[in-house]
Amino acid sequence: MKKIAILASGSGSNAENIANYFKGSDYAQVSFIIANNPQAYVLERAKKLGIEAAVVSKAEFMEAEGVIAMLRERDIDFVVLAGFLLLVPQKLIAAYPGRIVNIHPALLPKHGGKGMYGDRVHKAVVESGDTESGITIHIIDEHYDKGTTCFQAKCPVLSTDTPDDVAAKVHALEYEHFPRVIDEILHNLD
Ligand code: GAR
């Protein structure tokens, strides 16, 4: 059984969707959730799902050793960033080479980088007059929203769309594709 840890900073709707996708699978499961904010709603979702969760401070996360120990103690094979807003330190990337995946709610390399998350991304898409947006799923490196792209999906952006309209379309793509792409990456790991 492959064990997945999810790192999230906020609501955690993707975390819940991924956990439900793997529920009952004898191949992989979400067995641990880490939040960097004690108020993050993802912690409520973890409780409801019966998945162990932990909160780490930004300082602890950036220091990395403690988080690596937590992941290793739980035999975690693969790490998913689902709405996680901190930059992943090099030590953690080195501990899980090619095994940390992120989702970004736009078509990278557009609208990525430090400070570009959630609604800020959708606002930037609308303000740029883009006619399409979408999702990018990528194996991370030590830079924000860089690394190896595994998958992109697009949705149209109408001239009348608000950032909330774009967010709704992008979330639909995330829920449809992210768990399936994680499943595929896991199958290709070994
Ligand atoms: C998702 O749309 C995800 O793509 C985005 O945050 C949202 C989290 O929603 N991530 C980023 O912007 C990372 N730069 P959720 O907490 O409901 O899953």
Side-chain angles (χ1 to χ4, degrees), residues 8-16 42 45 81-85 102-106 111-113 115-119 121-122 135-136 144-145 167 170-171 174-175 178:
S9 301
S11 164
S13 67
N14 277 285
E16 180 167 355
V42 70
R45 295 188 198 262
L81 311 183
F84 188 68
L85 305 182
N102 180 46
I103 189 160
H104 187 76
H111 308 301
M116 289 303 283
Y117 55 85
D119 292 341
V121 176
H122 308 306
I135 59 170
T136 303
Y144 275 109
D145 301 323
V170 167
H171 272 303
E174 292 182 329
Y175 302 151
F178 199 17

Side-chain angles (χ1 to χ4, degrees), residues 14-180:
N14 277 285
E16 180 167 355
N17 183 49
I18 295 161
N20 282 330
Y21 174 95
F22 286 104
K23 204 154 89 186
S25 159
D26 51 13
Y27 176 69
Q29 68 179 23
V30 175
S31 52
F32 192 38
I33 292 179
I34 296 179
N36 65 304
N37 168 5
Q39 312 303 332
Y41 188 66
V42 70
L43 295 168
E44 295 301 317
R45 295 188 198 262
K47 213 179 290 171
K48 221 173 47 188
L49 289 158
I51 296 173
E52 184 194 5
V55 178
V56 297
S57 67
K58 181 176 177 182
E60 274 173 305
F61 185 75
M62 297 322 286
E63 192 273 330
E65 304 284 3
V67 173
I68 294 169
M70 282 174 145
L71 297 173
R72 293 230 162 107
E73 274 161 25
R74 289 162 182 82
D75 291 324
I76 297 298
D77 298 291
F78 195 71
V79 178
V80 174
L81 311 183
F84 188 68
L85 305 182
L86 301 180
L87 185 65
V88 176
Q90 183 54 45
K91 273 189 203 166
L92 180 49
I93 296 174
Y96 281 87
R99 287 169 179 258
I100 308 179
V101 74
N102 180 46
I103 189 160
H104 187 76
L107 297 171
L108 291 175
K110 289 189 94 172
H111 308 301
K114 188 169 164 58
M116 289 303 283
Y117 55 85
D119 292 341
R120 293 190 189 189
V121 176
H122 308 306
K123 198 162 172 271
V125 167
V126 168
E127 281 170 0
S128 307
D130 291 0
T131 55
E132 58 180 20
S133 190
I135 59 170
T136 303
I137 297 170
H138 63 105
I139 298 294
I140 66 158
D141 68 12
E142 68 276 26
H143 304 288
Y144 275 109
D145 301 323
K146 293 268 163 57
T148 310
T149 297
C150 308
F151 179 83
Q152 289 190 308
K154 292 178 181 177
C155 59
V157 175
L158 309 178
S159 58
T160 48
D161 277 352
T162 63
D164 283 351
D165 295 328
V166 179
K169 294 182 202 183
V170 167
H171 272 303
L173 289 177
E174 292 182 329
Y175 302 151
E176 181 184 351
H177 296 290
F178 199 17
R180 182 184 63 71

